[in-house]
Amino acid sequence: MYNVYGEDMWHPDSPTAYKPRQLRLFLYERACLSCSPSKGAACIVLLLHRTDGELSFAMLGDDRWTHVAKSESVQWSSGYRSAAYNENDGLFYLVFYNASIWTLDLHGGSPVMKNVVMGSSRSDDPIRSIVLAPWGEIFQVWRFIGVRWLDTPVKVPADYADEVINPRRESYTEETELYKVDVSGLKLVRINSSELRGHAIFIGFNSPVLVSTQEFPIFKPNCAYITDDSWETICINMYGGQEVGIWNFETEKLESLGDVQMGGSGASIFMALEWRSIGEKERKKGT
């Protein structure tokens, strides 16, 4: 029995019975690693989870998660939406629901948080992700999600029919915006895609990352390769239309993957193969 909605006023505040395969879709939101698990106890896993973006962490070898609770050194214990690890200073960088950025130090006796960028919004919309550039700059990607209705409902396996909200409902990306941290003013400044310096951003339900298009010329520079990033689409309405494509910041349109656009499963295979290629190249470099 678990209350996945906490004190959400729109849902009953009472525990509900879930099967393990269902509960994992509700409970875990995102995970961020400090380094490769091959480094053993040096690897810290930071977990963003319910209710409402709470934080827990563990090191390899730990037998349980350690919850990051509110304290004198932690101002907020929930409301976090994205995380990235900076190997240069050994800190996790977190995006709060209002677009503010906080650092999290897990190397001491207790977690310590510091605010590095003030919030610029009171809204929890759009989906916000943090990206650390290899040249030292910090970016935020704002992805605005809309909803449209399909003429033909998606076919859903009978075993999962009760888990789909509406087989005609489909989420899609309406707009994507880029911001970077103004170090002197400690604020976010909207930028154009040229500041990506010829890199491509990969955005999905995992941690965003920048990829050099000089090293991997198959990718288009200064654009974003996107897959579904909506928790509801992936975890609740998972049999709806799946979004895969290239966001062109200049035209503000989602483009097809072209010759490799083979439908949801084919495109996913393409993306997986490319990521495997990137991973193998990075391993050879020792990173």
Side-chain angles (χ1 to χ4, degrees):
M1 304 290 288
Y2 192 81
N3 181 4
V4 299
Y5 292 105
E7 299 178 357
D8 190 330
M9 63 182 293
W10 300 108
H11 297 87
D13 188 17
S14 59
T16 305
Y18 289 93
K19 296 179 180 178
R21 69 175 178 84
Q22 295 174 311
L23 185 58
R24 68 179 179 85
L25 298 177
F26 288 99
L27 198 57
Y28 307 134
E29 295 177 353
R30 298 180 189 272
C32 180
L33 277 66
S34 64
C35 61
S36 169
S38 64
K39 295 187 178 181
C43 179
I44 303 174
V45 183
L46 180 67
L47 184 68
L48 281 68
H49 58 84
R50 284 191 173 267
T51 53
D52 192 31
E54 292 187 16
L55 303 171
S56 293
F57 69 95
M59 298 181 183
L60 263 66
D62 290 351
D63 58 2
R64 66 185 62 192
W65 294 97
T66 299
H67 183 234
V68 180
K70 188 174 182 179
S71 65
E72 292 184 0
S73 58
V74 177
Q75 185 173 354
W76 307 105
S77 61
S78 63
Y80 300 97
R81 301 295 180 251
S82 178
Y85 184 77
N86 190 341
E87 60 182 14
N88 294 322
D89 57 19
L91 302 174
F92 286 95
Y93 283 70
L94 300 161
V95 176
F96 201 49
Y97 79 91
N98 65 355
S100 61
I101 297 178
W102 299 73
T103 60
L104 173 62
D105 187 351
L106 296 176
H107 295 289
S110 59
V112 176
M113 276 194 176
K114 293 183 179 179
N115 181 224
V116 294
V117 175
M118 300 298 293
S120 59
S121 172
R122 295 182 180 180
S123 171
D124 204 12
D125 183 34
I127 298 174
R128 297 184 176 95
S129 302
I130 187 168
V131 183
L132 304 181
W135 54 91
E137 288 186 312
I138 303 174
F139 297 109
Q140 272 197 38
V141 183
W142 292 14
R143 186 173 174 184
F144 297 82
I145 303 296
V147 174
R148 57 193 173 200
W149 304 96
L150 304 173
D151 294 332
T152 304
V154 175
K155 294 182 179 180
V156 180
D159 293 343
Y160 295 90
D162 60 339
E163 299 180 20
V164 177
I165 297 176
N166 191 318
R168 294 181 181 272
R169 183 179 183 272
E170 180 181 62
S171 298
Y172 70 101
T173 299
E174 289 185 316
E175 187 178 0
T176 303
E177 297 176 352
L178 281 175
Y179 294 82
K180 76 173 182 179
V181 174
D182 177 359
V183 178
S184 59
L186 296 180
K187 61 182 180 180
L188 293 176
V189 178
R190 189 171 179 182
I191 59 174
N192 60 49
S193 60
S194 64
E195 298 210 32
L196 295 178
R197 301 188 184 184
H199 286 64
I201 300 181
F202 278 71
I203 306 172
F205 205 50
N206 56 355
S207 298
V209 67
L210 284 172
V211 175
S212 170
T213 58
Q214 290 186 345
E215 294 186 37
F216 300 94
I218 191 174
F219 300 125
K220 294 182 179 181
N222 303 331
C223 64
Y225 285 75
I226 66 175
T227 58
D228 286 321
D229 195 20
S230 168
W231 173 81
E232 288 188 353
T233 299
I234 294 174
C235 298
I236 300 179
N237 210 29
M238 66 180 71
Y239 288 95
Q242 302 299 304
E243 186 175 50
V244 179
I246 306 170
W247 183 265
N248 187 319
F249 289 103
E250 301 300 324
T251 63
E252 299 184 347
K253 300 292 184 181
L254 184 66
E255 300 175 351
S256 166
L257 289 176
D259 293 337
V260 297
Q261 183 73 16
M262 300 169 287
S265 60
S268 299
I269 292 172
F270 165 77
M271 301 286 266
L273 289 173
E274 289 305 325
W275 273 116
R276 185 176 67 180
S277 173
I278 293 171
E280 290 174 351
K281 189 165 185 177
E282 293 300 314
R283 282 195 295 273
K284 290 178 180 178
K285 292 163 56 180
T287 59

